């Protein structure tokens, strides 16, 4: 239990948490974060320092309530197919079941996406024997649309291995496109009604500028890096994501859940720490951004803390940029 979390402050301080996926389930706010380990090993561009082993679920009755830690809900040792690195998860509700989607490295060190289920949003979660057939890379985010069709968005560059899947099979030497080529987009796959398998092969999402031209790989202020999230506002789909090397959360919109998406702007300016990762959720009549930074650990990249801030839309549906330190 923590005290009542305030905007732009860690929602819990007794553990390090990151990559928050927030949802309203059963009238409360549930947060599904990564659980960062408190170690002092060095960092590298492959993300080996993010060596998380389990997940905790957090919840708040509302924004005036304390944040409750429901404890460990899944551990890597209980996932038959997974070897290490339980990175950014998400959760979804359908079929009277709560589904936890999560990436991990399999026993060949390849990132895959798995599913675990529970009858309770606070877990514990029981993992499937194997990962989703045909899944790869990291950072799953699931949208259950109003028509009950569900989509999983995923992918991440560098340690997230997305570059290595451009031919459809894993190429350990795969590199990203040249700076003048279209950037790699996040992937989307529709899920079967059972939420455990893909209905169709994952497709790459195209992100274009206001003239319809693809965002290029060299456009590091706007191109996709990792941490996709999709929410709906006024019947428009909003795809938001981290720009990685330029450390912003930006967004693009579409009338179709599978895109193409048109780049719109910045949601969150850089936070303390290398990574930035978020989710967007409506609670009652307000909208909130959940994100993380490393201020509680004085800037250690792999010791992050989840925070939140209110989001404000303009009349035309654009989102006002948040500076988390103002
Ligand atoms: O937490 C590990 C990785 O760092 C996530 O999967 C990325 O989105 C980044 O936040």
């Amino acid at each position: 239990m923590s005290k009542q979390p305030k905007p732009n402050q860690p929602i819990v301080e007794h553990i390090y948490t990151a990559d928050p996926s927030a949802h309203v389930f059963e009238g409360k706010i549930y947060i599904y974060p990564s659980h960062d380990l408190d170690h002092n090993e060095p960092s590298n561009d492959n993300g080996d320092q993010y060596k998380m082993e389990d997940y905790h679920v957090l919840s708040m009755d509302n924004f005036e309530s304390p944040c409750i830690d429901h404890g460990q809900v899944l551990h890597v040792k209980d996932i038959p197919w997974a070897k290490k690195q339980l990175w950014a998860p998400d959760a979804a509700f359908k079929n009277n079941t709560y589904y936890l989607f999560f990436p991990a490295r399999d026993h060949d060190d390849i990132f895959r996406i798995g599913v675990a289920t529970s009858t309770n949003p606070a877990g514990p979660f029981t993992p499937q024997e194997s990962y989703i057939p045909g899944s790869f890379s990291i950072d799953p985010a699931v949208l259950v649309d109003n028509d009950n069709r569900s989509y999983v968005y995923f992918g991440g560059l560098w340690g997230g291995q997305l570059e290595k899947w451009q031919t459809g099979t894993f190429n350990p030497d795969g590199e990203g496109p040249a700076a003048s080529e279209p950037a790699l987009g996040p992937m989307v796959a529709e899920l079967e009604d059972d939420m455990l398998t893909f209905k169709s092969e994952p497709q790459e999402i195209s992100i274009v500028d206001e003239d319809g031209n693809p965002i290029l790989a060299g456009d590091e202020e706007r191109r996709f890096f990792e941490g996709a999230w999709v929410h709906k506002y006024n019947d428009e789909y909003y795809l938001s994501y981290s720009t990685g090397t330029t450390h912003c959360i930006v967004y693009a919109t579409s009338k179709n859940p599978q895109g193409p998406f048109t780049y719109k702007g910045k949601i969150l300016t850089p936070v303390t720490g290398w990574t930035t990762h978020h989710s967007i959720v409506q609670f009652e009549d307000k909208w909130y951004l959940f994100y993380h930074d490393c201020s509680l650990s004085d800037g250690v990249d792999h010791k992050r803390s989840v925070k939140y801030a209110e989001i404000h839309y303009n009349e035309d549906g654009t989102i006002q940029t948040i500076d988390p330190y103002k």
Side-chain angles (χ1 to χ4, degrees):
M1 175 92 74
S2 80
K3 53 189 187 302
Q4 177 195 331
K6 299 216 164 29
N8 307 116
Q9 300 294 331
I11 62 170
V12 291
E13 297 191 0
H14 64 293
I15 53 173
Y16 289 114
T17 56
D19 308 326
S21 291
H23 293 273
V24 176
F25 292 139
E26 302 178 359
K28 299 180 188 173
I29 305 139
Y30 280 88
I31 302 120
Y32 300 85
S34 301
H35 175 201
D36 282 350
L37 284 188
D38 188 357
H39 69 80
N40 295 318
E41 291 164 40
S43 299
N44 59 38
D45 284 349
N46 201 37
D48 294 337
Q49 63 276 22
Y50 303 107
K51 42 170 57 189
M52 299 80 102
E53 295 176 348
D54 67 357
Y55 293 114
H56 285 223
V57 174
L58 309 176
S59 75
M60 302 189 288
D61 284 358
N62 52 54
F63 285 93
E64 279 78 51
S65 307
C67 187
I68 295 167
D69 177 0
H70 296 274
Q72 186 182 88
V73 299
L74 181 64
H75 193 282
V76 68
K77 68 175 164 36
D78 298 320
I79 307 168
W81 62 268
K83 180 176 164 192
K84 61 180 181 181
Q85 292 183 299
L86 296 188
W87 283 13
D90 190 19
F93 178 68
K94 196 171 174 174
N95 308 323
N96 285 320
T97 302
Y98 293 92
Y99 298 88
L100 185 72
F101 292 81
F102 60 92
R105 283 187 194 256
D106 68 10
H107 295 287
D108 295 320
D109 277 330
I110 297 175
F111 267 112
R112 305 286 187 174
I113 294 169
V115 192
T117 59
S118 179
T119 53
N120 187 332
F125 287 87
T126 305
Q128 297 292 298
E129 279 292 306
S130 190
Y131 53 79
I132 302 175
S135 70
F136 55 89
S137 199
I138 59 166
D139 291 357
V142 175
L143 174 78
V144 181
D145 210 346
N146 301 350
D147 59 6
N148 227 21
R149 291 171 74 178
S150 307
Y151 304 90
V152 55
Y153 302 84
F154 61 93
L157 304 184
W158 296 13
Q161 301 179 333
L162 189 59
E163 299 93 331
K164 303 184 190 306
W165 285 96
Q166 291 171 82
T167 58
T169 54
F170 185 76
N171 171 10
D173 302 320
E175 290 191 353
S180 57
E181 299 286 319
L184 291 180
M187 305 299 294
V188 59
E190 187 169 353
L191 289 162
E192 286 286 1
D193 280 341
D194 66 6
M195 300 290 270
L196 304 174
T197 45
F198 291 160
K199 196 168 195 162
S200 48
E201 275 216 0
Q203 303 294 319
E204 184 180 346
I205 289 178
S206 162
I207 305 173
V208 299
D209 66 15
E210 63 279 14
D211 299 319
N213 298 314
I215 301 287
L216 302 181
D219 185 351
E220 296 187 25
E221 294 287 334
R222 298 192 294 178
R223 66 95 173 81
F224 169 76
F225 189 92
E226 62 187 2
W229 182 261
V230 174
H231 75 280
K232 254 175 124 174
Y233 177 78
N234 285 348
D235 282 332
E236 191 93 13
Y237 296 86
Y238 286 65
L239 164 70
S240 41
Y241 54 90
S242 163
T243 60
T245 49
T246 51
H247 315 288
C248 288
I249 300 292
V250 300
Y251 73 107
T253 62
S254 178
K255 289 281 178 211
N256 186 314
Q258 305 189 73
F261 285 83
T262 304
Y263 181 88
K264 291 289 174 178
K266 204 173 274 185
I267 297 176
L268 184 69
T269 56
V271 293
T272 307
W274 201 95
T275 66
T276 184
H277 190 125
H278 74 299
S279 61
I280 293 171
V281 68
Q282 183 178 15
F283 183 70
E284 297 174 344
D285 57 351
K286 292 184 175 177
W287 286 84
Y288 297 90
L289 176 79
F290 281 79
Y291 65 100
H292 70 225
D293 80 358
C294 302
S295 45
L296 187 64
S297 67
D298 283 331
V300 181
D301 284 340
H302 62 268
K303 296 184 195 179
R304 301 166 288 182
S305 300
V306 170
K307 302 181 167 186
Y308 77 87
E310 193 179 335
I311 280 186
H312 298 280
Y313 294 89
N314 297 311
E315 293 233 322
D316 63 359
T318 53
I319 295 176
Q320 295 177 12
T321 306
I322 294 171
D323 177 339
Y325 304 112
K326 271 196 178 148

